[in-house]
Amino acid sequence: MAREKRRIKKIDNITARQVTFSKRRRGIFKKADELSVLCDADVALIIFSATGKLFEFSSSRMRDILGRYNLHASNINKVMGQPSPYHQVENCNLSRLSQEVEDKTKQLRKLRGEDLEGLNLEELQRLEKMLESGLSRVSEKKGEFLMSQISSLEKRGSELVDENRRLRERVVTMEMAKTMALKEAVETESATTNVSSYDSGAPLEDDFSDTSLKLG
C-alpha cells in the first residue's frame, strides 16, 4: 500500500516549528557535506531562521565560494547583455547578503578571540561588554539549572526520608507481630505442659489409695 503523501504547509505551533527547523537544517547540512565529499563539489548554504538568525555551511571558505558565484553571475550578465531590473535587484541582495555573512563571520571570530589585531580601544571595550553580557547570561542560566537540580535533589531526599520512615514503621510492626506470636506460642505450650502434668498425676493418687486400703 502506497504511503500517503504528506502535505507541506507552514507549522502553526511555534515549538514544533522550531524543532522541525532544527532537524531539517541539520539534515540539509549533512546532505550538503555528503555531496561535497562524494562528488568533490564546492557547496555553500545560507539559511536565515524565522527570527533572523543566520546559519551557514560551506565545504570550503564561504567567501571564496561566494566570490566564484559573483564572478560567474557577472560573466553570465556580460554574455547575455544588459541585466534586467530583476537581476540587478537579485545581485544587490546577494551583495548585501554576502557582506552580512562576512560581517557576522568576523564578529564571530572576534567573540572567539580571533582577529583582534586591527581593533582600537573603543572596539575592544565594546567587544568586552558583549562578552561580559554573554557571560552574565550564561552564569544566570547556569544558576537556574543548578537551583533546579538542588530543588530536585531536595525533593528526592524528602521522598527518601518518608520512605525510610515507612520502612521503619513496617519493621517495628513486623517485630511486634513476631513477638506477640512468639508469646502466644509460649503460653500455649506452657498451658499444654500443665494439663499433661495434671493428667499424669491422677493415677498416682489412685495407686496410693489402693495401697493404703490394702495396708489397712
Side-chain angles (χ1 to χ4, degrees), residues 93-107:
N93 292 334
L94 179 61
S95 300
R96 179 180 57 80
L97 183 59
S98 300
Q99 185 63 38
E100 186 175 351
V101 170
E102 185 176 355
D103 294 340
K104 295 293 184 182
T105 304
K106 288 181 179 179
Q107 184 178 5

Side-chain angles (χ1 to χ4, degrees), residues 2-216:
R3 187 171 62 180
E4 183 179 357
K5 187 176 181 181
R6 184 179 178 182
R7 182 183 176 186
I8 301 298
K9 63 177 183 178
K10 180 181 177 181
I11 301 175
D12 296 328
N13 186 275
I14 297 178
T15 302
R17 189 192 311 162
Q18 291 176 348
V19 172
T20 303
F21 174 78
S22 180
K23 291 181 178 179
R24 294 295 182 96
R25 173 176 53 81
R26 288 195 297 267
I28 195 173
F29 281 177
K30 182 179 179 181
K31 293 295 183 182
D33 182 57
E34 293 175 354
L35 177 64
S36 66
V37 173
L38 294 174
C39 303
D40 193 23
D42 286 336
V43 181
L45 289 176
I46 299 174
I47 300 176
F48 283 96
S49 67
T51 58
K53 188 175 181 180
L54 171 65
F55 300 92
E56 62 177 81
F57 167 84
S58 60
S59 56
S60 58
R61 292 186 61 185
M62 176 67 74
R63 186 185 303 177
D64 295 340
I65 297 178
L66 292 178
R68 288 176 58 188
Y69 174 82
N70 290 332
L71 180 61
H72 183 72
S74 177
N75 291 335
I76 291 178
N77 290 332
K78 288 180 180 179
V79 172
M80 296 181 64
Q82 185 67 24
S84 63
Y86 173 78
H87 286 92
Q88 290 179 354
V89 173
E90 185 178 8
N91 291 335
C92 180
N93 292 334
L94 179 61
S95 300
R96 179 180 57 80
L97 183 59
S98 300
Q99 185 63 38
E100 186 175 351
V101 170
E102 185 176 355
D103 294 340
K104 295 293 184 182
T105 304
K106 288 181 179 179
Q107 184 178 5
L108 180 60
R109 289 199 186 101
K110 290 175 182 178
L111 291 174
R112 291 176 178 173
E114 303 173 0
D115 299 339
L116 302 178
E117 289 79 6
L119 300 180
N120 55 30
L121 180 59
E122 183 179 355
E123 291 173 339
L124 289 173
Q125 290 176 345
R126 190 182 308 115
L127 179 61
E128 183 181 11
K129 289 182 179 180
M130 290 176 60
L131 291 173
E132 289 177 351
S133 177
L135 182 60
S136 176
R137 288 194 295 269
V138 170
S139 299
E140 182 179 355
K141 191 66 177 179
K142 179 181 177 182
E144 293 176 358
F145 180 75
L146 290 176
M147 290 300 296
S148 176
Q149 280 192 329
I150 291 173
S151 178
S152 177
L153 290 174
E154 289 178 347
K155 182 179 178 181
R156 179 57 180 164
S158 178
E159 292 175 354
L160 289 175
V161 170
D162 293 339
E163 185 176 355
N164 289 336
R165 178 179 53 78
R166 289 193 296 269
L167 288 174
R168 285 197 300 268
E169 292 176 353
R170 184 177 178 183
V171 169
V172 171
T173 303
M174 292 175 64
E175 289 293 336
M176 292 177 63
K178 183 178 179 182
T179 303
M180 291 296 295
L182 183 60
K183 183 179 179 181
E184 291 176 358
V186 170
E187 291 177 352
T188 303
E189 184 178 357
S190 177
T192 304
T193 303
N194 292 334
V195 172
S196 299
S197 300
Y198 176 78
D199 293 340
S200 60
L204 290 176
E205 291 180 358
D206 294 340
D207 293 342
F208 180 76
S209 299
D210 293 342
T211 304
S212 300
L213 290 174
K214 290 177 181 181
L215 291 176

